[in-house]
């Protein structure tokens, strides 16, 4: 085995030493496939010779005036350094940032996008700073989103990474947005990611409880011939059916996932989780023995693997075993597993403290300093958390105040607009009502004129002209039944609530009496009322007298006071 690794290192060293003159000043895509092949093989090469030869090729590229190729080779070196656990914290971040700035200055957008993406990956892993990771991923996205996959081969991979980051932080809407964009992006030659994208989209829909869409994307993975992917997908679909309580469909899929995962020995953690889900189905069907056997088997599998204990999975299994032994009336075992489940929540911190104590016994002075440093850091973190919380509260308060002020402004503007509209409608109605009043006066004068003419014509006995003038006189009468509704609508706009108040106070009034009081409200003379109603002045006076008696009013002036009050 040792000889095999040495052989690989030798081959890599020879290949790196060969100067690829044919690649100078070629498009980014061609250079990317060449440089990225170094990174793919570098995962098995950690020797200083490998880094030395990469740096040799960098200098050769810069000497030949190809900064793009030189920076591409620097990316290979930085990606390889990401695996170096002994590298001092912060130095790698500084190197990536410097490369990003140089690429930006040289207007090499491809390299700049790569470096920004790598900086996001650094913060996601070694930097443990999700906010900085997202910021860099999104900055990189803005750089490469308009580039074609042919010109920028890693585009699909980068978009998929951004979508996955959103998925991990449970922002499923943004995750779906970018995962679907990745799905629509042409893959590069060597990396496809299609099954991973389908699976991630399916998981997003699952957490949004859209099980039909989730299962639809999981089914797409079943077309792949890879047994591992088929097992993972069967488990995912089975869990969907479990949530939908479609146990008949769920059971064979979950069993398939468990059997294949155990047989391939490639994903025991996933298999154990599937066992936990399947045990819930068995318990719901009163098959307690099956559930117990499955959980015990899952626990035994996990205990033999390096990842164990996985505290969340451990808690699930222990709680389920508690339920099983409670149903079997084995209360001692049930209580024991209940206690274990509770302990699992705090196990990670306990394990960390135990390791710290063991190291403290070996290097007490060093660990004492380390613990003091951590204490100060925790105190600083708490202060920063309080400060950030207060800042966030202040910002939220400002936003609320701004929203409140804007809402009040909008409300005020709306009220002003409504007032302007109401004033305009009132002015329009008043003008039309004044037109009625003026029309009454004009027609009153016209009636007087026609009356005089009729008297003259009677003396000359011109019957034909008499009939014509009588017809004009009849047409001069206004406020007929047909016109009353228009008049009433206008009157109500100017004198709001008049008719309702009048009817409420005097429910026995006739329509003719209401009409008479409305004209009184308009301050019309008896003569003007007569012309509007097509009757004589004496008739108006008689109507007023009868109405005054009906309303029990002593004087005519009291009628005007009455309508003014309504």
């Amino acid at each position: 085995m040792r000889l095999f690794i040495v052989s690989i290192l030798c081959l890599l060293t020879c290949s790196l030493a060969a100067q690829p003159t044919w690649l100078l000043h070629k498009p980014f895509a061609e250079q990317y496939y060449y440089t990225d092949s170094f990174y793919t093989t570098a995962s098995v090469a950690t020797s200083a010779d490998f880094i030395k030869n990469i740096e040799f090729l960098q200098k050769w590229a810069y000497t030949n005036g190809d900064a793009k190729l030189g920076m591409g080779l620097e990316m290979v070196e930085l990606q390889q350094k990401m695996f170096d656990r002994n590298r001092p914290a912060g130095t790698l971040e500084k190197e990536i940032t410097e490369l990003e700035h140089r690429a930006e200055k040289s207007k090499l957008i491809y390299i700049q996008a790569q470096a920004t993406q790598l900086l996001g990956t650094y913060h996601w892993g070694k930097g443990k700073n999700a906010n900085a990771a997202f910021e860099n991923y999104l900055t990189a996205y803005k750089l490469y989103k308009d580039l074609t996959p042919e010109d920028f081969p890693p585009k699909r991979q980068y978009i998929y990474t951004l979508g996955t980051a959103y998925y991990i932080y449970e922002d499923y809407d943004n995750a779906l947005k970018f995962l679907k964009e990745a799905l629509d992006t042409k893959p590069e030659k060597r990396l496809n990611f299609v099954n991973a994208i389908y699976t991630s989209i399916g998981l997003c829909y699952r957490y949004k409880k859209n099980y039909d869409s989730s299962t639809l994307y999981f089914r797409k993975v079943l077309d792949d011939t890879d047994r591992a992917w088929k097992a993972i997908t069967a488990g995912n679909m089975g869990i969907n059916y479990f949530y939908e309580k479609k146990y008949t469909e769920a059971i064979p899929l979950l069993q398939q996932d468990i059997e294949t995962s155990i047989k391939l020995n490639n994903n025991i953690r996933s298999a154990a989780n599937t066992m936990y889900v399947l045990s819930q189905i068995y318990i719901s069907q009163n098959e307690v023995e099956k559930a117990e056997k499955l959980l015990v088997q899952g626990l035994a599998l996990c205990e033999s693997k390096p990842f164990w204990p996985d505290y969340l999975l451990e808690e699930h299994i222990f709680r389920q075993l508690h339920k099983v032994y409670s149903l079997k009336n084995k209360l001692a075992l049930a209580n024991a597993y209940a206690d274990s489940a509770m302990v699992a929540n705090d196990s990670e911190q306990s394990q960390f403290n135990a390791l710290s104590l063991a190291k403290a016994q070996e290097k007490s002075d060093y660990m004492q300093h380390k613990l003091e440093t951590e204490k100060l850091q925790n105190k600083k973190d708490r202060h920063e958390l309080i400060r950030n919380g207060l800042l966030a509260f202040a910002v939220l308060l400002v936003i609320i105040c701004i929203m409140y002020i804007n809402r009040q402004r909008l409300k005020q503007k709306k009220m002003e607009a409504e007032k302007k509209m109401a004033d305009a409608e009132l002015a329009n109605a008043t003008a039309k009502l004044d037109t009625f009043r003026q029309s009454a006066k004009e027609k009153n004068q016209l009636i007087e004129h026609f009356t005089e003419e009729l008297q003259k014509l009677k003396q000359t006995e011109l019957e034909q002209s008499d009939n014509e003038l009588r017809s004009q006189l009849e047409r001069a009468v206004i406020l007929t039944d047909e016109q009353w509704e228009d008049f009433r609508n206008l009157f109500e706009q100017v004198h709001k609530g008049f008719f309702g108040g009048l009817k409420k106070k005097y429910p026995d009034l006739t329509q003719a009496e209401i009409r008479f009081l409305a004209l009184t409200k308009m301050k019309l003379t008896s003569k003007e009322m007569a012309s509007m109603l097509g009757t004589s002045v004496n008739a108006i006076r008689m109507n007023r007298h009868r109405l005054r008696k009906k309303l029990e009013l002593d004087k005519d002036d009291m009628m005007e006071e009455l309508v003014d009050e309504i």
Side-chain angles (χ1 to χ4, degrees):
M1 183 65 183
R2 186 177 300 172
L3 179 62
F4 174 71
I5 294 174
V6 170
S7 301
I8 289 178
L9 291 174
C10 291
L11 289 171
L12 286 171
T13 302
C14 293
S15 64
L16 289 171
Q19 299 169 355
T21 54
W22 53 272
L23 202 59
L24 287 170
H25 307 292
K26 288 294 177 68
F28 170 80
E30 291 185 42
Q31 292 182 346
Y32 168 79
Y33 284 118
Y34 174 77
T35 57
D36 191 61
S37 65
F38 289 161
Y39 170 67
T40 304
T41 54
S43 59
V44 297
T46 56
S47 69
D49 287 340
F50 183 87
I51 299 296
K52 186 186 295 184
N53 280 286
I54 284 286
E55 290 174 347
F56 170 79
L57 284 177
Q58 291 171 24
K59 291 178 183 178
W60 168 79
Y62 284 124
T63 301
N64 284 274
D66 194 342
K68 177 158 53 66
L69 179 58
M71 291 184 190
L73 289 163
E74 283 190 64
M75 282 295 303
V76 174
E77 181 181 355
L78 292 171
Q79 287 169 327
Q80 174 60 17
K81 287 178 178 178
M82 193 82 77
F83 292 101
D84 187 355
R85 296 181 180 179
N86 298 319
R87 191 168 188 79
T91 58
L92 182 59
E93 178 185 5
K94 182 180 178 182
E95 290 180 55
I96 299 171
T97 303
E98 287 176 352
L99 176 60
E100 179 189 28
H101 291 164
R102 283 192 287 116
E104 181 181 11
K105 189 175 181 180
S106 301
K107 297 182 180 180
L108 295 173
I109 189 172
Y110 303 104
I111 304 297
Q112 185 186 353
Q114 273 189 299
T116 307
Q117 182 78 10
L118 185 61
L119 196 57
T121 303
Y122 167 82
H123 284 300
W124 191 269
K126 285 198 170 187
K128 303 295 183 184
N129 188 336
N131 289 333
F134 271 111
E135 183 180 346
N136 283 283
Y137 284 154
L138 289 169
T139 302
Y141 175 77
K142 291 176 184 176
L143 292 170
Y144 64 71
K145 70 175 182 178
D146 294 326
L147 303 177
T148 66
E150 289 79 11
D151 293 333
F152 191 69
K155 182 174 182 178
R156 181 187 235 194
Q157 175 189 348
Y158 287 3
I159 299 174
Y160 166 71
T161 299
L162 180 56
T164 303
Y166 276 114
Y167 164 76
I168 291 171
Y169 275 82
E170 300 180 2
D171 185 347
Y172 301 120
D173 290 329
N174 271 319
L176 285 170
K177 170 187 170 184
F178 288 108
L179 289 170
K180 287 184 177 181
E181 184 178 347
L183 193 61
D184 294 335
T185 303
K186 182 180 178 181
E188 61 174 285
K189 296 175 183 177
R190 295 167 303 184
L191 298 172
N192 195 328
F193 291 103
V194 67
N195 286 339
I197 297 172
Y198 283 146
T199 300
S200 296
I201 292 175
L203 291 172
C204 286
Y205 278 123
R206 173 193 290 171
Y207 287 112
K208 288 170 69 69
K209 297 184 179 180
N210 187 342
Y211 299 115
D212 288 341
S213 295
S214 177
T215 300
L216 177 66
Y217 279 94
F218 287 149
R219 286 189 184 279
K220 294 177 184 291
V221 185
L222 289 178
D223 296 334
D224 197 283
T225 55
D226 186 274
R227 291 179 65 191
W229 272 114
K230 283 182 177 291
I232 292 169
T233 305
N236 280 325
M237 289 176 62
I239 291 172
N240 277 6
Y241 288 135
F242 164 73
Y243 285 132
E244 294 179 283
K245 299 188 184 302
K246 298 179 180 178
Y247 298 147
T248 303
E249 293 91 337
I251 290 173
L253 291 169
L254 296 173
Q255 288 175 336
Q256 178 185 342
D257 178 28
I258 294 167
E259 292 169 4
T260 307
S261 296
I262 293 174
K263 188 171 183 179
L264 296 177
N265 197 28
N266 66 334
N267 201 343
I268 298 303
R269 180 188 276 105
S270 174
N273 184 66
T274 305
M275 290 174 171
Y276 159 70
V277 173
L278 185 54
S279 72
Q280 294 182 75
I281 297 177
Y282 286 149
I283 289 175
S284 70
Q285 296 177 340
N286 294 321
E287 297 185 81
V288 181
E289 297 294 335
K290 282 187 177 181
E292 178 188 8
K293 181 179 179 181
L294 202 60
L295 290 166
V296 170
Q297 181 188 5
L299 187 59
L301 280 171
C302 290
E303 288 174 342
S304 65
K305 297 299 175 183
F307 69 81
W308 193 256
D310 179 324
Y311 296 107
L312 178 61
L313 181 57
E314 185 181 48
E315 181 188 359
H316 286 165
I317 293 176
F318 287 162
R319 287 195 184 280
Q320 200 70 353
L321 284 168
H322 161 71
K323 187 180 292 185
V324 165
Y325 290 120
S326 294
L327 291 171
K328 296 184 72 172
N329 205 27
K330 295 182 179 180
L331 300 183
L333 271 175
N335 291 333
Y337 280 113
D339 291 339
S340 297
M342 293 176 64
V343 170
N345 283 324
D346 200 40
S347 291
E348 186 173 6
Q349 187 62 42
S350 298
Q351 186 183 54
F352 174 78
N353 292 337
L355 290 173
S356 298
L357 182 60
K359 290 181 180 179
Q361 291 173 349
E362 296 177 3
K363 296 182 178 181
S364 58
D365 292 339
Y366 168 75
M367 283 307 301
Q368 184 62 37
H369 173 72
K370 185 173 187 291
L371 289 172
E372 288 296 328
T373 304
E374 289 176 351
K375 188 183 294 183
L376 290 172
Q377 184 62 43
N378 289 336
K379 187 176 180 180
K380 181 181 176 182
D381 291 343
R382 282 197 299 272
H383 288 163
E384 289 183 357
L385 183 63
I386 293 170
R387 183 197 64 192
N388 293 339
L390 291 173
L391 182 62
F393 176 75
V395 171
L396 181 62
L397 189 61
V398 170
I399 292 172
I400 291 172
C401 290
I402 292 172
M403 290 176 65
Y404 176 77
I405 292 170
N406 288 338
R407 183 173 295 177
Q408 292 301 314
R409 286 177 179 172
L410 289 173
K411 188 176 180 180
Q412 183 65 29
K413 288 181 180 179
K414 184 179 179 182
M415 290 173 63
E416 289 174 359
E418 289 176 350
K419 186 177 181 303
K420 286 181 180 179
M421 186 178 294
D423 290 344
E425 290 176 353
L426 179 60
N428 184 47
T430 302
K432 289 185 177 180
L433 206 56
D434 288 341
T435 302
F436 269 108
R437 186 185 294 112
Q438 185 62 31
S439 176
K441 292 180 179 180
E442 291 174 355
K443 292 197 175 186
N444 181 56
Q445 295 172 0
L446 186 62
I447 290 169
E448 289 178 353
H449 171 71
F450 285 157
T451 304
E452 291 175 1
E453 291 296 321
L454 282 171
Q455 293 298 326
K456 291 178 182 179
L457 288 172
K458 283 181 180 178
Q459 294 174 4
T460 56
E461 296 182 350
L462 295 175
E463 185 177 349
Q464 182 176 357
S465 297
D466 180 48
N467 290 338
E468 183 180 347
L469 284 172
R470 285 180 183 280
S471 175
Q472 291 183 43
L473 184 59
E474 290 172 359
R475 289 196 300 273
V477 176
I478 65 169
L479 210 58
T480 61
D481 289 339
E482 290 79 5
Q483 294 173 308
W484 169 245
E485 282 302 320
D486 291 339
F487 173 83
R488 181 188 178 100
N489 291 335
L490 286 173
F491 187 91
E492 183 66 21
Q493 289 183 48
V494 178
H495 304 289
K496 292 186 181 296
F498 177 81
F499 293 112
L502 194 62
K503 195 69 177 174
K504 184 177 181 181
K505 193 169 184 179
Y506 303 104
D508 297 333
L509 289 177
T510 65
Q511 286 298 317
E513 290 168 341
I514 291 173
R515 191 177 306 184
F516 183 85
L517 289 171
L519 296 178
T520 303
K521 178 81 171 176
M522 290 178 65
K523 309 295 185 185
L524 296 179
T525 65
S526 297
K527 188 182 290 185
E528 289 169 344
M529 286 187 192
S531 67
M532 287 190 77
L533 297 174
T535 185
S536 66
V537 174
N538 286 334
I540 294 298
R541 288 173 182 164
M542 290 180 66
N543 285 342
R544 180 178 286 109
H545 178 74
R546 284 196 300 269
L547 186 55
R548 184 164 61 79
K549 293 295 184 183
K550 184 174 182 177
L551 298 177
E552 298 179 355
L553 301 174
D554 295 334
K555 300 177 182 180
D556 286 347
D557 293 345
M558 294 180 71
M559 186 177 296
E560 293 181 0
E561 293 175 3
L562 172 70
V563 294
D564 285 342
E565 291 174 357
I566 297 176

